[in-house]
Amino acid sequence: MAGSGGRDRAVKLAVRDVRIGYRERRNGRFFAAVQNLSFEIKDNEFIAIVGPSGCGKTTFLSAVAGLIEIASGSLELNGHAIQGPGPDRSLVFQQHSLFPWRTVTANVGFGLEAQGRLDEHGRRRVSDLIELVGLNGKEGKYPRELSGGMSQRVNLARALATDPDLLLLDEPFAALDAQTREVMQEELTRVWQADSASGGKTALFITHDVPEAVYLADRVLVFSASPGRLVESVDIDLPRPRDPGVKRSKEFAELNDHVLGLVMQQAAISRGGAR
Ligand SMILES: Nc1ncnc2c1ncn2[C@@H]1O[C@H](COP(=O)(O)OP(=O)(O)OP(=O)(O)O)[C@@H](O)[C@H]1O
Ligand SMILES: [Mg+2]
């Protein structure tokens, strides 16, 4: 299928026959959370990952973030094996992970500060991002004074501030109410489109919400029941820029049904106690 236009772009992330797991405490046995996982992600692609609970999505994202090691296979970012965390990647989690003692501005600027880049240019980037995510006027507020949606905007701005090559998002909107969630999806699309124009970013977005995956992504990767591997990569050929109206189109409904069917199938295998 054409549309995502990723064919001739450079490979950003190469995942080859990856196996990741945990050593069980009680018997020292290795438990594979992800196995035989292979795919490639191109520069600038927005990738959504869906799959049943416990299939290894967070495990995989943690390995890409460099927080855990892979057991076998290869995981390469820009042609180099991932060996630990780095400034080329930013993470946004479901739970708010803001520093409670820092204001909005200081939270957004955290990464730049840690990298010694909070100079005049850095400070301008921080205020531009605060504006981009719609938080003007909230600069001096502390996390406890923000709503859930606002906190996730701060998280998003903070993740974007250091201009990461790869943005890693693990169910960033899961804790939000349905309405705020829709607003945040639109915001992310808008911010994405605005920020990609200047830099060129690649994103990995985990979600349980299939319409959210289809709306946001260039490609949806469906993971199997545990241990996670790729079941199907679904190209989302919906034109960009997208707006919520696209969710009412026939094309959207077809893509959504297709992905949902695959996820339900895997969820049934999961429930069947395949392991
Ligand atoms: N730190 C850990 N130690 C041991 N096992 C773990 C650890 N983290 C995850 N697991 C196990 O690895 C498997 C995959 O978990 P993971 O959190 O990656 O799934 P997930 O797809 O993100 O699930 P969900 O959709 O519910 O967030 C599960 O069986 C889980 O119990
Ligand atoms: Mg998870």
Side-chain angles (χ1 to χ4, degrees):
M1 268 194 263
S4 60
R7 295 285 127 77
D8 42 5
R9 285 189 229 145
V11 173
K12 174 65 60 184
L13 185 74
V15 184
R16 297 195 191 96
D17 203 17
V18 163
R19 184 163 187 257
I20 318 168
Y22 303 95
R23 195 128 323 259
E24 285 182 36
R25 284 235 176 113
R26 47 194 173 96
N27 53 18
R29 273 217 301 265
F30 183 83
F31 161 84
V34 167
Q35 197 157 282
N36 304 120
L37 185 64
S38 297
F39 57 86
E40 283 184 348
I41 291 173
K42 302 279 175 66
D43 235 351
N44 250 305
E45 270 194 302
F46 194 114
I47 302 288
I49 298 179
V50 296
S53 183
C55 75
K57 302 180 295 297
T58 296
T59 300
F60 171 67
L61 210 73
S62 306
V64 176
L67 301 174
I68 57 174
E69 285 181 20
I70 59 172
S72 61
S74 79
L75 189 56
E76 290 182 356
L77 181 63
N78 296 320
H80 302 284
I82 291 173
Q83 285 178 327
D88 50 355
R89 283 149 288 157
S90 277
L91 266 167
V92 181
F93 289 111
Q94 168 179 0
Q95 294 307 332
H96 312 144
S97 44
L98 299 174
F99 299 110
W101 58 87
R102 281 178 169 247
T103 62
V104 166
T105 298
N107 263 292
V108 174
F110 174 78
L112 288 171
E113 192 182 310
Q115 293 171 17
R117 290 165 59 200
L118 202 57
D119 51 9
E120 197 188 323
H121 180 262
R123 280 195 296 273
R124 200 170 327 119
R125 169 108 182 126
V126 168
S127 61
D128 286 353
L129 277 167
I130 289 174
E131 192 173 332
L132 193 63
V133 299
L135 284 174
N136 340 29
K138 309 281 181 206
E139 291 86 347
K141 294 230 182 274
Y142 288 88
R144 64 173 181 278
E145 303 172 298
L146 304 173
S147 69
M150 286 174 195
S151 299
Q152 280 309 58
R153 284 166 208 251
V154 178
N155 258 324
L156 190 59
R158 182 173 65 179
L160 289 168
T162 51
D163 249 324
D165 236 13
L166 187 56
L167 194 58
L168 306 170
L169 306 116
D170 194 354
E171 303 195 48
F173 307 149
L176 305 177
D177 64 88
Q179 257 166 338
T180 310
R181 188 173 185 140
E182 293 244 341
V183 172
M184 289 301 293
Q185 290 168 5
E186 265 186 79
E187 295 271 302
L188 177 59
T189 309
R190 189 176 56 75
V191 168
W192 182 257
Q193 279 154 183
D195 222 48
S196 299
S198 55
K201 291 199 197 317
T202 314
L204 268 173
F205 186 102
I206 295 177
T207 181
H208 276 283
D209 184 326
V210 172
E212 176 171 276
V214 173
Y215 179 60
L216 292 174
D218 296 315
R219 210 143 57 86
V220 177
L221 305 181
V222 182
F223 275 28
S224 71
S226 180
R229 64 182 161 75
L230 185 66
V231 169
E232 195 172 314
S233 163
V234 183
D235 284 341
I236 306 298
D237 294 340
L238 303 168
R240 286 190 191 275
R242 289 179 196 164
D243 64 70
V246 77
K247 292 182 183 173
R248 291 190 294 273
S249 71
K250 187 167 143 275
E251 292 76 12
F252 186 92
E254 283 171 2
L255 287 163
N256 196 57
D257 285 353
H258 179 64
V259 175
L260 199 59
L262 293 167
V263 174
M264 304 258 282
Q265 216 170 25
Q266 294 304 319
I269 295 173
S270 236
R271 277 196 308 276
R275 48 180 340 203

